[in-house]
Amino acid sequence: MTEFLLPAFLHLLEPLNIILMLAGLTGGIVIGALPGLSATMGVALMVPATFAMNPTSGLIMLGAIYAGAIYGG
């Protein structure tokens, strides 16, 4: 199991993924703070934007949006 953790952390520390994570957290906090928008709706609204991304980058961004929206709500 540990042979899978190191490559996962290396993908997480790529500069593009860190930028997407910060952008997702910022956008998620804004979405969570707006009345009437939930974390689930924020993720659903951003799914089409992740279609052109690498799957790893897209999942990192969607996870960051969800975490930020939970925090912002």
Side-chain angles (χ1 to χ4, degrees):
M1 179 169 157
T2 58
E3 66 268 8
F4 298 119
L5 290 177
L6 184 61
F9 284 124
L10 291 178
H11 280 297
L12 184 65
L13 295 177
E14 291 177 3
L16 175 66
N17 291 338
I18 291 175
I19 291 170
L20 288 173
M21 189 184 334
L22 291 174
L25 278 171
T26 304
I29 290 172
V30 170
I31 288 172
L34 291 173
L37 293 177
S38 64
T40 309
M41 188 179 297
V43 170
L45 288 173
M46 289 306 295
V47 165
T50 62
F51 285 159
M53 292 182 191
N54 183 5
T56 306
S57 300
L59 286 173
I60 288 172
M61 184 174 175
L62 291 177
I65 290 170
Y66 183 79
I70 293 295
Y71 174 77

